[in-house]
Amino acid sequence: MAQKTNSQNKSQVKDIKYYQKKFWKVFFYGLGGVFLFFLFASWGLFGAMPSFEDLENPNSNLATEIISSDGVTLGKFYNENRTAIKYKDLPKSLVDALVSTEDERFYEHSGIDARRTLGAAVKLGSNGGASTITQQLAKLLFHGEGSKFLPFRMIQKAKEWIIAVRLERQYTKNEIIALYFNQVDFVNGAVGIRSAAKVYFNKEPRDLNVEESALLVGMLTNPSLFNPVRRPEKAIKRRNVVLGQLVRNNHLEESAKNILEKKPIVLNFHPESHLDGTATYFREYLRDYMKNWVKENKKPDGEEYDIYGDGLKIYTTIDSKIQEHAEEAVLAHIKNLQEEFWIQQKGNKNAPFVNITEAETDKIFKQAMKNSERWRILKADDKTDEEIIASFKVKTKMTVFTWKGDRDTIMTPMDSIRYYKHFLQAGLMSMEPQTGQVKAWVGGINYKYFQYDHVGQGARQVGSTFKPFVYATAIEQLGMSPCDTIIDGPFMIHKGRHHVTEDWQPRNSDNKYRGMVTLKKALANSINTISAKLIDKTGPEAVVELTHKLGVTSEIPVQPSIALGAVDITVQDMVAAYSTFANQGVYIKPQFISRIEDKNGAVIYEPVPESHDVLNKDVAFAVIKLLEGVTEGGSGERLRTEGGGSGDNRWTGYPYMFKNPIAGKTGTTQNQSDGWFIGMVPNLVTGVWVGCEDRSARFKSITYGQGATAALPIWGYFMKKCYEDNDLQISTDEFQRPDNFNIKVDCWTAPKHVAKDSTDTEEQNPDEFGL
């Protein structure tokens, strides 16, 4: 019996040792397997792992920022609306909310929270995941959403742990928090905390208060579910959970939490779009420029920069305040003038077109149809031209632009074309003449609906704003001065002279002649016969040559008629040309970029201004004095008067009452299709054009279509705003007179009897060109 008991005891001991041996064998094999599993994962056998360089420079798909000269973000180019931010720019409340809610032991672990991971494993994840902030960052940076398939999910989790540990070695805790906030998606087009703060609250992250920080951190669990725009009730509950976590972690008093919990969500929702915001036309011009820039300025490895994902910072010359004043002036005046345009088109059966045939109207409509997005889409669907044209005659729901806001309506696409042809358009550019820096760029009235840029894209006939180029040529080549006199009388250039194919006899707008006049008075009153006589003396070739030296890139016909402005030139080129006079005869090509930095802040491009001498200082100053005469007693005099005149209800912002020296020139083209004004003070040159998209859509009378009414009020309104803004320091000084200046510019003038307004009608009428 005793032997049997001993035998059983030995057997039990043997069994225990066997199972112990088995256990340790399985344990060590398992441990080894886990070790090998993580080792193989780190080697990339289960899929590529980020290299040291990848960890150092993670691919973060950062938006390119467009920054004004005064440090304001004008807009972005992006695939994802994400802009990087540094830890020092994050408010403490935001960091505390993140750590308290997402990873309470963040500052204690090295990427993996063992206690939290074990707890999640025991509860099989029923109380949520165990991912630390660093693990979440690893997932965001390198492999995105996990697989639903368990074996793959295990592999991804292992890789996530390995990457998290590596990130902890590579970055400080503060850097990890900044990286995390730069990566997370807050929906509504906001990726990263800076975009989120801007989109939801229209402020920088550093300005977020406690409840705003809690709201944004609360979204991180499920941005769509806790979207404060669409689900404010859920967003409030989640925000209050975050506030509770702040209390639990001693970052907020219970009493303060109780107050904040009762507050409603107050959003200042500003979703960002390429079509909205400040300087939209300029940003699109810049985008086109950058498409060529990336081909000519490549990365050190030879690859092209991606303006949508490489996080470039483009520092522009645009001044955000000057741009704001320019946009306000354009919108205020065009809205006012548009009312008059609608009034004048009443009763016009072919509105807004004036004096054109049915065939010419059809041609305009066919061209508009072919340029439309509707035509492009239907053509891509293999529709015939006949089918597409038929679709333009079918009524459909659409949203259209009005000066009172977007309007939902029903009309045929053909009717919408005619409707949009009614709208007056505008272009404005301001430039600092001494540096060539572009300070404001307004290419139209609304980029969402009218995307044609009337500053850099659209060349329009310039009318009398071309005349200073003729006068400058005469002063330079013939040694004339602004005080020299010339007879205003009937004049003809006969067939064969200066390439004229038939006799050309220009007429003055009032069909009157003034006899002997000074050049200064002739330009101030835009006397056509004087311009014709001057170009006859210099020859059109000399005028064309000088105009090209002034930076005008348009093709200019070598004909005497150019003296009256029968030339198409962009606003950009006209402003640069006039700036040469204000810059003592030196042309500087317009500059709109000051520098470009990569995402790390290294300067990768800094343009060198392009300049060349065109005129000597004396000639340039003489032209300035000529142009001052325009605002002292000519077609630009309403910048100084206060009496009003015909149509003064459309002189937006009048009276302007400027007392300082202003050099400028109005321009009106044949049939008043285009109105121009280019005005200069010593440190700012601004050009304005106004007209409809089609030249045949116009005012019937010169009262409202002339440059003094259509364009000059924008300049006056704009400059009043600039002068009221003391930070801008726009000059009210005299233009700099060259040393030893010896051209006579101070001319005697007879005493003047001023009527209510001496500029009721400007220089041109429908017969101006005499063609």
Side-chain angles (χ1 to χ4, degrees):
M1 189 73 177
Q3 281 184 336
K4 188 175 181 182
T5 302
N6 288 336
S7 176
Q8 286 177 344
N9 289 338
K10 286 180 181 179
S11 177
Q12 287 177 355
V13 171
K14 183 179 180 182
D15 288 344
I16 291 171
K17 288 181 178 179
Y18 172 79
Y19 285 114
Q20 284 178 336
K21 186 176 180 182
K22 199 80 172 173
F23 168 78
W24 289 111
K25 190 174 182 181
V26 170
F27 175 78
F28 284 115
Y29 274 126
L31 191 63
V34 170
F35 173 77
L36 289 173
F37 175 75
F38 278 95
L39 182 65
F40 292 157
S42 67
W43 288 350
L45 294 182
F46 300 137
M49 290 288 286
S51 64
F52 176 81
E53 290 76 16
D54 293 330
L55 292 172
E56 189 77 26
N57 297 288
N59 182 12
S60 48
N61 200 12
L62 293 173
T64 287
E65 272 191 283
I66 305 159
I67 302 169
S68 69
S69 61
D70 52 334
V72 175
T73 299
L74 299 174
K76 301 171 188 175
F77 302 139
Y78 57 83
N79 295 316
E80 293 180 346
N81 184 13
R82 183 205 316 272
T83 307
I85 193 170
K86 294 181 179 178
Y87 181 83
K88 64 183 177 63
D89 296 317
L90 297 172
K92 184 177 184 300
S93 63
L94 188 71
V95 175
D96 289 343
L98 175 68
V99 174
S100 298
T101 307
E102 294 293 320
D103 190 356
E104 290 178 317
R105 284 179 291 278
F106 174 70
Y107 294 105
E108 300 168 16
H109 62 67
S110 298
I112 301 170
D113 186 343
R115 191 163 73 181
R116 193 173 172 192
T117 301
L118 187 60
V122 169
K123 296 179 182 179
L124 300 176
S126 60
N127 284 355
S131 291
T132 62
I133 290 173
T134 318
Q135 286 174 256
Q136 292 179 49
L137 176 61
K139 182 165 68 174
L140 287 167
L141 285 175
F142 298 109
H143 69 73
E145 271 309 310
S147 171
K148 302 288 185 184
F149 186 47
L150 184 60
F152 289 167
R153 180 71 189 122
M154 289 173 62
I155 292 171
Q156 287 174 335
K157 200 67 180 175
K159 290 165 68 175
E160 187 182 294
W161 287 350
I162 294 166
I163 295 169
V165 172
R166 290 180 178 179
L167 285 171
E168 290 274 350
R169 292 175 182 170
Q170 191 75 27
Y171 296 100
T172 65
K173 291 288 186 178
N174 290 352
E175 288 171 336
I176 287 170
I177 285 177
L179 275 170
Y180 178 81
F181 270 125
N182 286 331
Q183 289 297 320
V184 286
D185 189 345
F186 291 89
V187 299
N188 290 313
V191 183
I193 192 62
R194 190 173 182 201
S195 292
K198 200 74 176 171
V199 167
Y200 291 107
F201 302 109
N202 197 28
K203 57 174 67 173
E204 289 294 323
R206 62 175 170 269
D207 300 320
L208 293 171
N209 58 36
V210 175
E211 63 267 29
E212 290 166 346
S213 295
L215 178 74
L216 293 177
V217 168
M219 292 177 67
L220 296 174
T221 304
N222 190 329
S224 296
L225 181 63
F226 300 118
N227 181 345
V229 177
R230 295 193 175 185
R231 297 184 174 89
E233 300 85 3
K234 289 183 180 295
I236 285 179
K237 287 181 181 178
R238 181 61 186 165
R239 178 200 68 182
N240 293 345
V241 169
V242 176
L243 292 173
Q245 287 297 109
L246 284 169
V247 172
R248 170 183 156 131
N249 287 274
N250 301 316
H251 296 303
L252 188 68
E253 295 292 332
E254 183 73 36
S255 57
K257 182 199 109 170
N258 293 335
I259 295 171
L260 294 175
E261 279 183 335
K262 295 173 184 176
K263 286 189 175 184
I265 293 175
V266 180
L267 299 178
N268 189 354
F269 188 56
H270 280 77
E272 295 186 6
S273 165
H274 295 305
L275 303 178
D276 302 316
T278 306
T280 47
Y281 290 90
F282 170 73
R283 280 153 40 196
E284 192 57 34
Y285 182 86
L286 181 63
R287 186 208 303 271
D288 285 340
Y289 173 85
M290 290 300 295
K291 287 177 183 176
N292 293 320
W293 181 88
V294 295
K295 295 175 182 176
E296 299 169 4
N297 300 268
K298 297 187 177 181
K299 296 179 183 178
D301 61 5
E303 286 189 14
E304 289 186 5
Y305 285 100
D306 177 8
I307 64 169
Y308 301 104
D310 278 344
L312 303 179
K313 282 185 169 54
I314 305 174
Y315 289 88
T316 71
T317 60
I318 298 290
D319 185 292
S320 69
K321 290 185 177 180
I322 296 178
Q323 178 71 27
E324 181 183 326
H325 298 324
E327 290 182 2
E328 181 182 340
V330 167
L331 298 184
H333 179 60
I334 298 300
K335 182 179 181 180
N336 182 20
L337 196 62
Q338 186 70 51
E339 291 178 0
E340 186 64 37
F341 193 84
W342 287 116
I343 292 170
Q344 292 202 15
Q345 292 301 324
K346 287 180 179 178
N348 179 5
K349 292 182 180 179
N350 196 27
F353 310 112
V354 180
N355 295 334
I356 65 171
T357 65
E358 187 177 337
E360 289 171 325
T361 304
D362 288 343
K363 185 178 179 181
I364 290 172
F365 275 97
K366 285 178 181 177
Q367 189 61 48
M369 282 191 287
K370 289 185 176 180
N371 290 340
S372 70
E373 185 68 6
R374 171 180 287 272
W375 186 284
R376 187 191 68 79
I377 292 170
L378 293 176
K379 203 67 179 174
D381 287 342
D382 295 326
K383 301 291 184 182
T384 65
D385 287 3
E386 291 74 19
E387 289 174 317
I388 297 173
I389 292 171
S391 77
F392 274 83
K393 299 174 183 177
V394 178
K395 287 189 175 183
T396 184
K397 290 181 180 180
M398 63 178 70
T399 302
V400 297
F401 169 80
T402 79
W403 277 110
K404 294 179 180 179
D406 293 355
R407 178 183 169 190
D408 294 328
T409 187
I410 297 175
M411 67 170 73
T412 69
M414 190 71 81
D415 285 341
S416 75
I417 290 174
R418 186 179 289 275
Y419 171 74
Y420 280 125
K421 292 291 184 183
H422 280 77
F423 282 95
L424 293 166
Q425 301 294 329
L428 177 153
M429 189 181 107
S430 280
M431 177 173 140
E432 197 174 77
Q434 292 77 23
T435 63
Q437 292 186 0
V438 176
K439 294 298 175 183
W441 181 301
V442 186
I445 59 172
N446 185 296
Y447 184 75
K448 181 179 177 181
Y449 289 97
F450 308 98
Q451 297 185 0
Y452 192 76
D453 182 0
H454 294 284
V455 171
Q457 234 178 333
R460 294 291 290 241
Q461 209 167 87
V462 295
S464 290
T465 54
F466 190 86
K467 289 177 180 176
F469 307 152
V470 178
Y471 281 67
T473 306
I475 293 171
E476 181 186 46
Q477 297 205 353
L478 306 178
M480 300 183 78
S481 81
C483 298
D484 285 351
T485 56
I486 194 166
I487 295 174
D488 171 24
F491 177 71
M492 179 181 290
I493 294 179
H494 293 284
K495 179 180 178 180
R497 181 172 172 79
H498 299 313
H499 317 290
V500 171
T501 55
E502 57 184 66
D503 290 350
W504 181 58
Q505 186 175 11
R507 294 186 290 275
N508 292 328
S509 62
D510 55 6
N511 289 313
K512 296 177 182 178
Y513 301 102
R514 297 163 181 79
M516 195 69 75
V517 294
T518 63
L519 292 189
K520 188 171 185 178
K521 182 177 179 181
L523 186 62
N525 293 283
S526 218
I527 300 174
N528 291 334
T529 57
I530 303 301
S531 297
K533 285 185 176 184
L534 291 177
I535 201 169
D536 182 51
K537 290 174 181 290
T538 65
E541 291 86 356
V543 175
V544 170
E545 182 182 357
L546 176 66
T547 305
H548 283 317
K549 283 183 180 178
L550 288 167
V552 173
T553 56
S554 306
E555 186 175 331
I556 304 173
V558 186
Q559 292 286 336
S561 61
I562 64 174
L564 308 187
V567 183
D568 289 350
I569 303 175
T570 64
V571 172
Q572 184 180 24
D573 280 0
M574 287 299 287
V575 171
Y578 270 62
S579 293
T580 305
F581 302 135
N583 192 35
Q584 300 187 320
V586 178
Y587 168 81
I588 299 182
K589 186 177 180 180
Q591 300 287 314
F592 47 89
I593 294 176
S594 57
R595 71 183 186 279
I596 300 176
E597 295 179 357
D598 65 16
K599 66 179 181 181
N600 298 315
V603 177
I604 57 175
Y605 177 70
E606 207 160 7
V608 177
E610 297 178 33
S611 65
H612 58 260
D613 293 340
V614 179
L615 300 166
N616 69 50
K617 294 180 180 180
D618 289 0
V619 172
F621 186 72
V623 175
I624 289 291
K625 299 307 286 184
L626 278 171
L627 292 169
E628 284 184 352
V630 174
T631 66
E632 291 166 358
S635 58
E637 189 180 23
R638 63 185 59 170
L639 288 172
R640 304 190 183 283
T641 63
E642 58 178 319
S646 178
D648 61 5
N649 60 318
R650 303 304 180 190
W651 305 352
T652 312
Y654 183 83
Y656 310 109
M657 305 279 294
F658 295 123
K659 306 295 183 187
N660 55 295
I662 297 170
K665 187 72 189 79
T666 55
T668 310
T669 63
Q670 195 169 22
N671 296 324
Q672 55 275 348
S673 294
D674 306 271
W676 288 80
F677 183 73
I678 301 175
M680 299 185 281
V681 295
N683 65 346
L684 196 67
V685 178
T686 303
V688 182
W689 166 87
V690 173
C692 286
E693 185 179 297
D694 292 274
R695 291 183 54 81
S696 53
R698 57 181 174 81
F699 282 102
K700 294 179 181 178
S701 70
I702 198 169
T703 301
Y704 297 102
Q706 63 177 315
T709 303
L712 178 145
I714 292 177
W715 193 92
Y717 189 112
F718 165 65
M719 290 300 291
K720 269 179 78 173
K721 288 289 181 181
C722 287
Y723 281 131
E724 288 168 3
D725 194 334
N726 294 327
D727 293 337
L728 297 178
Q729 298 183 330
I730 305 300
S731 175
T732 56
D733 297 335
E734 298 271 354
F735 286 87
Q736 185 178 349
R737 192 183 189 100
D739 296 335
N740 304 315
F741 180 73
N742 58 9
I743 299 176
K744 187 177 180 182
V745 293
D746 299 314
C747 316
W748 178 86
T749 55
K752 186 178 177 185
H753 301 286
V754 182
K756 186 178 181 184
D757 178 68
S758 59
T759 57
D760 284 353
T761 51
E762 205 203 280
E763 63 273 13
Q764 269 94 0
N765 68 8
D767 300 318
E768 178 192 276
F769 296 102
L771 298 174

